[in-house]
Amino acid sequence: MDTQDTPGYCSDLTLSYGRQKSAIRELFEYGKKISRDKGPEQVFDFSIGNPSVPPPRQVEEAFCSLLAKESPLALHGYTSAPGDPAVRRAIAGQLNRDYQTAYDESNLYLTCGAAAALSSTFRALTVTGKENEFIAIAPYFPEYKCFVEGHGARLVPVPSSLPDLDIPLEGIDNAITSSTRAVIINSPNNPSGKLYREPELQALGSLLGKKSQECGHPIFIVSDEPYRELVYDGRKTPFIPPIYPNTIVCYSYSKALSMPGERIGYVLVPPELNHHARDIYDAIAGAARSLGYVCAPSLIQRVVGLCADVKPDMTVYDLNRRILFDGLTVAGYRCIKPEGAFYLFVEAPEGKAKIFSEYAKTNYNLLIVPSESFGFPGYLRISYCVSTERIQSSLPLFAECLKKYER
Amino acid sequence: MDTQDTPGYCSDLTLSYGRQKSAIRELFEYGKKISRDKGPEQVFDFSIGNPSVPPPRQVEEAFCSLLAKESPLALHGYTSAPGDPAVRRAIAGQLNRDYQTAYDESNLYLTCGAAAALSSTFRALTVTGKENEFIAIAPYFPEYKCFVEGHGARLVPVPSSLPDLDIPLEGIDNAITSSTRAVIINSPNNPSGKLYREPELQALGSLLGKKSQECGHPIFIVSDEPYRELVYDGRKTPFIPPIYPNTIVCYSYSKALSMPGERIGYVLVPPELNHHARDIYDAIAGAARSLGYVCAPSLIQRVVGLCADVKPDMTVYDLNRRILFDGLTVAGYRCIKPEGAFYLFVEAPEGKAKIFSEYAKTNYNLLIVPSESFGFPGYLRISYCVSTERIQSSLPLFAECLKKYER
């Protein structure tokens, strides 16, 4: 590399993270530009996973009642580093009611969203002086790479099993080495909407249990769950700790409570995490401390404490999902029907995702994300967290786009 | 180390950060216990730097008006990673008015408080594959160590010049090596209340300029400024970028707006930062990204945008400062008169800070922090961000404590 790229007075790696824009962000910025220049009705922006359903009314009520009733010094003051104990108790209570567990506040560490939870967890599991590998099942959320590699560890992608994007047991079996620290699970999945079933999670658990014994150290599941509550057709996301005890859960309220900007979530270190639960909890707490997380934002902590049992209203997302899936299928697209989250994963014509995405953008202002950045080429991610009207009016364009492209 | 301490399945370093409680936290927890067991009037807790003056009324007004008027989806949605552009413009405007600078939003990166700003900056300045050293002037905020060492760099403490805790130019000169990345400045200082004057900052700037040339790479000042607005006697904190262009400012609103739990601050990368300003900004942005900081909490960003020009009311802190300084001096303590922040730094009798702190705690429930953890033994830190009544009623106890201790 030449000296201009490796200046020697700052980190090359973080410089590259700061310079490189994600494919998603680039499309999003393009969409904002068209919207300003030609009017918002001219652009069909399906690029971003920003909730389109307003926060539940309980969220706004919680903000107002806290601001009206609580002492400002207490409300905006430091909480303990793991978060306000009463808030953690409220969350433990919700988990216990929903999953028949027996957690308490000592199992929870509140974080600035799932990103902070994941980065702190990866940092904590990265052992000094050793090789460290984290397995991600592709397609995966692109930021995993940056969270893992930023701490000097390596992300090892393993492609999902086709056609249904199941857990690739054989691939994971082959990818595990003595340096493997964890397998990252993200179900419901961004970008595919895939939801894993209990039997395949059990099979993964058996494999990891066996491999942990062989390696002589635990191989954890890090379960990234921002979409846990966003499921369709009356399904329930299987809760992984009872299936595989060595599971660390990273949760975010961003999507379920429609407040992604407020940065609130948690790490759950279940007590059943073999005999190392306290060490792992402390190592995550210490990682969060050294990354500069003093505590999660205090007012938002309290809001979440009051809304621990609030579930998202899925009506609009479900309607969008059906209209989009049916409309695109009729138009000739091959789509994977999402069972959770708010993304539709569509096969790119001839597998050429980047080319088709560019074509759709240039000719129809349809902004859809090619799947290369998710580590799984040949697909397109369509975020349907937009108004239903936008989906309906986009359908003729999607149809025409495919027809003209294939000609 | 034995295997119980180095489990091999998680980071020893972050485990130690998670296990070890700071001296400050331990005193604080002790105080809470006494308060519960014997009543809050029985304990004199001067351990913690938690603001005691409520947030200015503009802060509460900003919360209420934002929640009443803005669309919840926009208010709680993702902002761009560096922060809402309008908020950054408001802050740039305040800096330009206060310091006759010409900043704009592209120079500012909003963070979850100064801790996040510092950790991201240290990460960005830590060059892969090289030794990396950051110089801290002792006494210093203990978390610097954990922010610096967590990224694999080394903190190099240099003691302040006595008797006035001036910048130790000779010590810094001797400590600089080819691995030095930055000198951390914290003025007004926690724990001493020391405020540097412009001439000594100029002398430091000259030294660093000369040393940068010798090293062949810039040696930055990282200026940690949570107490910038908290000054007494009509003083103004000198603003460092015009004095030394290679300065990165890490600011927090925690103390000035009395909302330390809300986690809001910024990194300022001034455009005059030689020809590398854009690289440094991008490297800090990339560091923040890989540490898991998606954006600073969105509602709080907007609050700060509306309150950019609000200054703290120093009346109560100033009254506390005078009563405490005068009272302790009369009682025979040797105190350094604070010019900023809300800490009084007091010589420990016979230089035995830990022993005296323990004595004062055990016999008088006076909770004061020994200065060992600030890298500068022999002193006691008394946080006077408490009610004036508590200070007044503590004075006879302080007097008796010293008398009995010296007997």
PDB file of all heavy atoms in Angstrom, chain B residues 160-191:
ATOM      1  N   SER B 160       2.147  16.036  37.263  1.00  0.00           N
ATOM      2  CA  SER B 160       2.089  17.498  37.173  1.00  0.00           C
ATOM      3  C   SER B 160       3.213  18.122  37.991  1.00  0.00           C
ATOM      4  O   SER B 160       3.705  17.517  38.945  1.00  0.00           O
ATOM      5  CB  SER B 160       0.773  18.020  37.758  1.00  0.00           C
ATOM      6  OG  SER B 160      -0.313  17.561  37.025  1.00  0.00           O
ATOM      7  N   SER B 161       3.553  19.348  37.617  1.00  0.00           N
ATOM      8  CA  SER B 161       4.556  20.081  38.393  1.00  0.00           C
ATOM      9  C   SER B 161       3.921  20.625  39.671  1.00  0.00           C
ATOM     10  O   SER B 161       2.848  21.241  39.618  1.00  0.00           O
ATOM     11  CB  SER B 161       5.087  21.249  37.568  1.00  0.00           C
ATOM     12  OG  SER B 161       5.667  20.773  36.381  1.00  0.00           O
ATOM     13  N   LEU B 162       4.589  20.408  40.763  1.00  0.00           N
ATOM     14  CA  LEU B 162       4.135  20.967  42.041  1.00  0.00           C
ATOM     15  C   LEU B 162       4.764  22.339  42.232  1.00  0.00           C
ATOM     16  O   LEU B 162       5.795  22.629  41.619  1.00  0.00           O
ATOM     17  CB  LEU B 162       4.540  20.021  43.177  1.00  0.00           C
ATOM     18  CG  LEU B 162       3.685  18.742  43.245  1.00  0.00           C
ATOM     19  CD1 LEU B 162       4.240  17.748  44.249  1.00  0.00           C
ATOM     20  CD2 LEU B 162       2.237  19.094  43.599  1.00  0.00           C
ATOM     21  N   PRO B 163       4.218  23.219  43.054  1.00  0.00           N
ATOM     22  CA  PRO B 163       3.046  23.026  43.898  1.00  0.00           C
ATOM     23  C   PRO B 163       1.715  23.294  43.189  1.00  0.00           C
ATOM     24  O   PRO B 163       0.668  22.996  43.747  1.00  0.00           O
ATOM     25  CB  PRO B 163       3.268  24.083  44.995  1.00  0.00           C
ATOM     26  CG  PRO B 163       3.950  25.203  44.273  1.00  0.00           C
ATOM     27  CD  PRO B 163       4.812  24.559  43.227  1.00  0.00           C
ATOM     28  N   ASP B 164       1.741  23.860  41.968  1.00  0.00           N
ATOM     29  CA  ASP B 164       0.486  24.340  41.388  1.00  0.00           C
ATOM     30  C   ASP B 164      -0.126  23.420  40.338  1.00  0.00           C
ATOM     31  O   ASP B 164      -1.064  23.813  39.647  1.00  0.00           O
ATOM     32  CB  ASP B 164       0.709  25.735  40.793  1.00  0.00           C
ATOM     33  CG  ASP B 164       0.991  26.768  41.877  1.00  0.00           C
ATOM     34  OD1 ASP B 164       0.408  26.614  42.966  1.00  0.00           O
ATOM     35  OD2 ASP B 164       1.792  27.695  41.634  1.00  0.00           O
ATOM     36  N   LEU B 165       0.403  22.222  40.207  1.00  0.00           N
ATOM     37  CA  LEU B 165      -0.112  21.263  39.228  1.00  0.00           C
ATOM     38  C   LEU B 165      -0.060  21.821  37.803  1.00  0.00           C
ATOM     39  O   LEU B 165      -0.964  21.601  36.995  1.00  0.00           O
ATOM     40  CB  LEU B 165      -1.536  20.827  39.584  1.00  0.00           C
ATOM     41  CG  LEU B 165      -1.744  20.192  40.964  1.00  0.00           C
ATOM     42  CD1 LEU B 165      -3.202  19.790  41.143  1.00  0.00           C
ATOM     43  CD2 LEU B 165      -0.847  18.968  41.159  1.00  0.00           C
ATOM     44  N   ASP B 166       1.008  22.537  37.502  1.00  0.00           N
ATOM     45  CA  ASP B 166       1.170  23.062  36.148  1.00  0.00           C
ATOM     46  C   ASP B 166       1.510  21.940  35.166  1.00  0.00           C
ATOM     47  O   ASP B 166       1.827  20.818  35.571  1.00  0.00           O
ATOM     48  CB  ASP B 166       2.295  24.101  36.140  1.00  0.00           C
ATOM     49  CG  ASP B 166       1.894  25.370  36.898  1.00  0.00           C
ATOM     50  OD1 ASP B 166       0.694  25.718  36.854  1.00  0.00           O
ATOM     51  OD2 ASP B 166       2.771  25.969  37.551  1.00  0.00           O
ATOM     52  N   ILE B 167       1.455  22.279  33.865  1.00  0.00           N
ATOM     53  CA  ILE B 167       1.819  21.297  32.841  1.00  0.00           C
ATOM     54  C   ILE B 167       3.308  20.965  33.003  1.00  0.00           C
ATOM     55  O   ILE B 167       4.155  21.866  32.992  1.00  0.00           O
ATOM     56  CB  ILE B 167       1.572  21.858  31.424  1.00  0.00           C
ATOM     57  CG1 ILE B 167       0.081  22.151  31.228  1.00  0.00           C
ATOM     58  CG2 ILE B 167       2.052  20.867  30.361  1.00  0.00           C
ATOM     59  CD1 ILE B 167      -0.267  22.732  29.862  1.00  0.00           C
ATOM     60  N   PRO B 168       3.647  19.693  33.158  1.00  0.00           N
ATOM     61  CA  PRO B 168       5.040  19.298  33.395  1.00  0.00           C
ATOM     62  C   PRO B 168       5.812  19.207  32.075  1.00  0.00           C
ATOM     63  O   PRO B 168       6.024  18.109  31.548  1.00  0.00           O
ATOM     64  CB  PRO B 168       4.884  17.920  34.038  1.00  0.00           C
ATOM     65  CG  PRO B 168       3.618  17.376  33.455  1.00  0.00           C
ATOM     66  CD  PRO B 168       2.727  18.555  33.183  1.00  0.00           C
ATOM     67  N   LEU B 169       6.245  20.361  31.584  1.00  0.00           N
ATOM     68  CA  LEU B 169       6.853  20.394  30.244  1.00  0.00           C
ATOM     69  C   LEU B 169       8.077  19.490  30.150  1.00  0.00           C
ATOM     70  O   LEU B 169       8.227  18.737  29.174  1.00  0.00           O
ATOM     71  CB  LEU B 169       7.256  21.834  29.897  1.00  0.00           C
ATOM     72  CG  LEU B 169       6.106  22.739  29.460  1.00  0.00           C
ATOM     73  CD1 LEU B 169       6.641  24.150  29.205  1.00  0.00           C
ATOM     74  CD2 LEU B 169       5.411  22.198  28.218  1.00  0.00           C
ATOM     75  N   GLU B 170       8.904  19.551  31.172  1.00  0.00           N
ATOM     76  CA  GLU B 170      10.115  18.744  31.113  1.00  0.00           C
ATOM     77  C   GLU B 170       9.782  17.255  31.158  1.00  0.00           C
ATOM     78  O   GLU B 170      10.343  16.453  30.402  1.00  0.00           O
ATOM     79  CB  GLU B 170      11.020  19.124  32.290  1.00  0.00           C
ATOM     80  CG  GLU B 170      12.471  18.789  32.056  1.00  0.00           C
ATOM     81  CD  GLU B 170      13.307  19.090  33.304  1.00  0.00           C
ATOM     82  OE1 GLU B 170      13.120  20.176  33.896  1.00  0.00           O
ATOM     83  OE2 GLU B 170      14.116  18.214  33.685  1.00  0.00           O
ATOM     84  N   GLY B 171       8.864  16.901  32.015  1.00  0.00           N
ATOM     85  CA  GLY B 171       8.443  15.500  32.120  1.00  0.00           C
ATOM     86  C   GLY B 171       7.871  14.993  30.801  1.00  0.00           C
ATOM     87  O   GLY B 171       8.147  13.871  30.367  1.00  0.00           O
ATOM     88  N   ILE B 172       7.072  15.827  30.143  1.00  0.00           N
ATOM     89  CA  ILE B 172       6.481  15.420  28.865  1.00  0.00           C
ATOM     90  C   ILE B 172       7.581  15.292  27.813  1.00  0.00           C
ATOM     91  O   ILE B 172       7.618  14.320  27.050  1.00  0.00           O
ATOM     92  CB  ILE B 172       5.393  16.430  28.438  1.00  0.00           C
ATOM     93  CG1 ILE B 172       4.198  16.336  29.387  1.00  0.00           C
ATOM     94  CG2 ILE B 172       4.957  16.188  27.001  1.00  0.00           C
ATOM     95  CD1 ILE B 172       3.130  17.387  29.177  1.00  0.00           C
ATOM     96  N   ASP B 173       8.467  16.253  27.801  1.00  0.00           N
ATOM     97  CA  ASP B 173       9.609  16.213  26.877  1.00  0.00           C
ATOM     98  C   ASP B 173      10.353  14.880  27.024  1.00  0.00           C
ATOM     99  O   ASP B 173      10.645  14.184  26.036  1.00  0.00           O
ATOM    100  CB  ASP B 173      10.533  17.402  27.185  1.00  0.00           C
ATOM    101  CG  ASP B 173      11.568  17.637  26.088  1.00  0.00           C
ATOM    102  OD1 ASP B 173      11.745  16.754  25.236  1.00  0.00           O
ATOM    103  OD2 ASP B 173      12.204  18.704  26.099  1.00  0.00           O
ATOM    104  N   ASN B 174      10.611  14.488  28.253  1.00  0.00           N
ATOM    105  CA  ASN B 174      11.336  13.233  28.495  1.00  0.00           C
ATOM    106  C   ASN B 174      10.514  11.993  28.155  1.00  0.00           C
ATOM    107  O   ASN B 174      11.065  10.957  27.810  1.00  0.00           O
ATOM    108  CB  ASN B 174      11.771  13.140  29.964  1.00  0.00           C
ATOM    109  CG  ASN B 174      12.821  14.175  30.294  1.00  0.00           C
ATOM    110  OD1 ASN B 174      13.578  14.602  29.418  1.00  0.00           O
ATOM    111  ND2 ASN B 174      12.850  14.608  31.551  1.00  0.00           N
ATOM    112  N   ALA B 175       9.198  12.096  28.280  1.00  0.00           N
ATOM    113  CA  ALA B 175       8.350  10.911  28.094  1.00  0.00           C
ATOM    114  C   ALA B 175       8.053  10.621  26.625  1.00  0.00           C
ATOM    115  O   ALA B 175       7.676   9.506  26.266  1.00  0.00           O
ATOM    116  CB  ALA B 175       7.041  11.087  28.864  1.00  0.00           C
ATOM    117  N   ILE B 176       8.187  11.639  25.778  1.00  0.00           N
ATOM    118  CA  ILE B 176       7.831  11.447  24.367  1.00  0.00           C
ATOM    119  C   ILE B 176       8.830  10.507  23.688  1.00  0.00           C
ATOM    120  O   ILE B 176      10.041  10.644  23.852  1.00  0.00           O
ATOM    121  CB  ILE B 176       7.772  12.806  23.635  1.00  0.00           C
ATOM    122  CG1 ILE B 176       6.533  13.581  24.093  1.00  0.00           C
ATOM    123  CG2 ILE B 176       7.728  12.615  22.116  1.00  0.00           C
ATOM    124  CD1 ILE B 176       6.433  14.996  23.549  1.00  0.00           C
ATOM    125  N   THR B 177       8.288   9.539  22.968  1.00  0.00           N
ATOM    126  CA  THR B 177       9.111   8.633  22.169  1.00  0.00           C
ATOM    127  C   THR B 177       8.542   8.628  20.751  1.00  0.00           C
ATOM    128  O   THR B 177       7.548   9.299  20.470  1.00  0.00           O
ATOM    129  CB  THR B 177       9.046   7.188  22.712  1.00  0.00           C
ATOM    130  OG1 THR B 177       7.746   6.659  22.420  1.00  0.00           O
ATOM    131  CG2 THR B 177       9.273   7.139  24.218  1.00  0.00           C
ATOM    132  N   SER B 178       9.131   7.817  19.884  1.00  0.00           N
ATOM    133  CA  SER B 178       8.605   7.724  18.520  1.00  0.00           C
ATOM    134  C   SER B 178       7.251   7.016  18.501  1.00  0.00           C
ATOM    135  O   SER B 178       6.578   6.980  17.477  1.00  0.00           O
ATOM    136  CB  SER B 178       9.600   6.979  17.633  1.00  0.00           C
ATOM    137  OG  SER B 178       9.779   5.675  18.149  1.00  0.00           O
ATOM    138  N   SER B 179       6.838   6.438  19.631  1.00  0.00           N
ATOM    139  CA  SER B 179       5.533   5.774  19.705  1.00  0.00           C
ATOM    140  C   SER B 179       4.441   6.667  20.276  1.00  0.00           C
ATOM    141  O   SER B 179       3.284   6.249  20.366  1.00  0.00           O
ATOM    142  CB  SER B 179       5.639   4.520  20.585  1.00  0.00           C
ATOM    143  OG  SER B 179       6.656   3.671  20.129  1.00  0.00           O
ATOM    144  N   THR B 180       4.797   7.881  20.670  1.00  0.00           N
ATOM    145  CA  THR B 180       3.798   8.767  21.275  1.00  0.00           C
ATOM    146  C   THR B 180       2.792   9.220  20.219  1.00  0.00           C
ATOM    147  O   THR B 180       3.172   9.767  19.188  1.00  0.00           O
ATOM    148  CB  THR B 180       4.467  10.005  21.900  1.00  0.00           C
ATOM    149  OG1 THR B 180       5.458   9.573  22.822  1.00  0.00           O
ATOM    150  CG2 THR B 180       3.449  10.878  22.610  1.00  0.00           C
ATOM    151  N   ARG B 181       1.522   8.996  20.490  1.00  0.00           N
ATOM    152  CA  ARG B 181       0.465   9.423  19.554  1.00  0.00           C
ATOM    153  C   ARG B 181      -0.162  10.733  19.997  1.00  0.00           C
ATOM    154  O   ARG B 181      -0.558  11.532  19.163  1.00  0.00           O
ATOM    155  CB  ARG B 181      -0.633   8.353  19.443  1.00  0.00           C
ATOM    156  CG  ARG B 181      -0.142   6.984  19.056  1.00  0.00           C
ATOM    157  CD  ARG B 181       0.246   6.895  17.586  1.00  0.00           C
ATOM    158  NE  ARG B 181       1.145   5.768  17.382  1.00  0.00           N
ATOM    159  CZ  ARG B 181       2.193   5.779  16.574  1.00  0.00           C
ATOM    160  NH1 ARG B 181       2.482   6.839  15.858  1.00  0.00           N
ATOM    161  NH2 ARG B 181       2.963   4.726  16.470  1.00  0.00           N
ATOM    162  N   ALA B 182      -0.313  10.917  21.300  1.00  0.00           N
ATOM    163  CA  ALA B 182      -1.016  12.110  21.773  1.00  0.00           C
ATOM    164  C   ALA B 182      -0.706  12.366  23.245  1.00  0.00           C
ATOM    165  O   ALA B 182      -0.284  11.457  23.973  1.00  0.00           O
ATOM    166  CB  ALA B 182      -2.523  11.950  21.597  1.00  0.00           C
ATOM    167  N   VAL B 183      -0.914  13.609  23.652  1.00  0.00           N
ATOM    168  CA  VAL B 183      -0.903  13.992  25.065  1.00  0.00           C
ATOM    169  C   VAL B 183      -2.350  14.339  25.430  1.00  0.00           C
ATOM    170  O   VAL B 183      -3.009  15.113  24.715  1.00  0.00           O
ATOM    171  CB  VAL B 183       0.012  15.213  25.302  1.00  0.00           C
ATOM    172  CG1 VAL B 183      -0.059  15.677  26.756  1.00  0.00           C
ATOM    173  CG2 VAL B 183       1.458  14.880  24.916  1.00  0.00           C
ATOM    174  N   ILE B 184      -2.837  13.745  26.497  1.00  0.00           N
ATOM    175  CA  ILE B 184      -4.211  14.011  26.930  1.00  0.00           C
ATOM    176  C   ILE B 184      -4.203  15.191  27.891  1.00  0.00           C
ATOM    177  O   ILE B 184      -3.453  15.208  28.867  1.00  0.00           O
ATOM    178  CB  ILE B 184      -4.822  12.786  27.640  1.00  0.00           C
ATOM    179  CG1 ILE B 184      -4.680  11.528  26.777  1.00  0.00           C
ATOM    180  CG2 ILE B 184      -6.281  13.041  27.993  1.00  0.00           C
ATOM    181  CD1 ILE B 184      -4.961  10.224  27.539  1.00  0.00           C
ATOM    182  N   ILE B 185      -5.032  16.173  27.572  1.00  0.00           N
ATOM    183  CA  ILE B 185      -5.192  17.363  28.417  1.00  0.00           C
ATOM    184  C   ILE B 185      -6.607  17.338  28.990  1.00  0.00           C
ATOM    185  O   ILE B 185      -7.550  17.005  28.276  1.00  0.00           O
ATOM    186  CB  ILE B 185      -5.009  18.631  27.549  1.00  0.00           C
ATOM    187  CG1 ILE B 185      -3.559  18.766  27.103  1.00  0.00           C
ATOM    188  CG2 ILE B 185      -5.474  19.887  28.268  1.00  0.00           C
ATOM    189  CD1 ILE B 185      -2.618  19.178  28.210  1.00  0.00           C
ATOM    190  N   ASN B 186      -6.740  17.683  30.264  1.00  0.00           N
ATOM    191  CA  ASN B 186      -8.065  17.721  30.890  1.00  0.00           C
ATOM    192  C   ASN B 186      -8.097  18.929  31.810  1.00  0.00           C
ATOM    193  O   ASN B 186      -7.688  18.863  32.958  1.00  0.00           O
ATOM    194  CB  ASN B 186      -8.302  16.405  31.658  1.00  0.00           C
ATOM    195  CG  ASN B 186      -9.578  16.397  32.493  1.00  0.00           C
ATOM    196  OD1 ASN B 186      -9.582  15.979  33.634  1.00  0.00           O
ATOM    197  ND2 ASN B 186     -10.653  16.882  31.924  1.00  0.00           N
ATOM    198  N   SER B 187      -8.569  20.038  31.245  1.00  0.00           N
ATOM    199  CA  SER B 187      -8.552  21.315  31.962  1.00  0.00           C
ATOM    200  C   SER B 187      -9.867  22.043  31.683  1.00  0.00           C
ATOM    201  O   SER B 187     -10.199  22.246  30.512  1.00  0.00           O
ATOM    202  CB  SER B 187      -7.369  22.158  31.467  1.00  0.00           C
ATOM    203  OG  SER B 187      -7.493  23.498  31.870  1.00  0.00           O
ATOM    204  N   PRO B 188     -10.629  22.397  32.735  1.00  0.00           N
ATOM    205  CA  PRO B 188     -10.441  22.126  34.155  1.00  0.00           C
ATOM    206  C   PRO B 188     -10.338  20.631  34.430  1.00  0.00           C
ATOM    207  O   PRO B 188     -10.977  19.831  33.754  1.00  0.00           O
ATOM    208  CB  PRO B 188     -11.707  22.703  34.804  1.00  0.00           C
ATOM    209  CG  PRO B 188     -12.254  23.671  33.816  1.00  0.00           C
ATOM    210  CD  PRO B 188     -11.851  23.198  32.483  1.00  0.00           C
ATOM    211  N   ASN B 189      -9.530  20.334  35.443  1.00  0.00           N
ATOM    212  CA  ASN B 189      -9.136  18.953  35.684  1.00  0.00           C
ATOM    213  C   ASN B 189     -10.012  18.252  36.713  1.00  0.00           C
ATOM    214  O   ASN B 189     -10.386  18.809  37.736  1.00  0.00           O
ATOM    215  CB  ASN B 189      -7.669  18.951  36.169  1.00  0.00           C
ATOM    216  CG  ASN B 189      -7.142  17.565  36.473  1.00  0.00           C
ATOM    217  OD1 ASN B 189      -7.112  17.134  37.621  1.00  0.00           O
ATOM    218  ND2 ASN B 189      -6.725  16.849  35.448  1.00  0.00           N
ATOM    219  N   ASN B 190     -10.337  17.009  36.405  1.00  0.00           N
ATOM    220  CA  ASN B 190     -10.826  16.058  37.384  1.00  0.00           C
ATOM    221  C   ASN B 190      -9.625  15.174  37.699  1.00  0.00           C
ATOM    222  O   ASN B 190      -9.085  14.570  36.786  1.00  0.00           O
ATOM    223  CB  ASN B 190     -11.963  15.223  36.788  1.00  0.00           C
ATOM    224  CG  ASN B 190     -12.387  14.071  37.676  1.00  0.00           C
ATOM    225  OD1 ASN B 190     -11.993  13.982  38.826  1.00  0.00           O
ATOM    226  ND2 ASN B 190     -13.193  13.173  37.113  1.00  0.00           N
ATOM    227  N   PRO B 191      -9.108  15.146  38.896  1.00  0.00           N
ATOM    228  CA  PRO B 191      -9.708  15.457  40.194  1.00  0.00           C
ATOM    229  C   PRO B 191      -9.296  16.765  40.856  1.00  0.00           C
ATOM    230  O   PRO B 191      -9.703  16.977  42.006  1.00  0.00           O
ATOM    231  CB  PRO B 191      -9.149  14.314  41.051  1.00  0.00           C
ATOM    232  CG  PRO B 191      -7.751  14.141  40.526  1.00  0.00           C
ATOM    233  CD  PRO B 191      -7.873  14.380  39.041  1.00  0.00           C
TER     234      PRO B 191
END
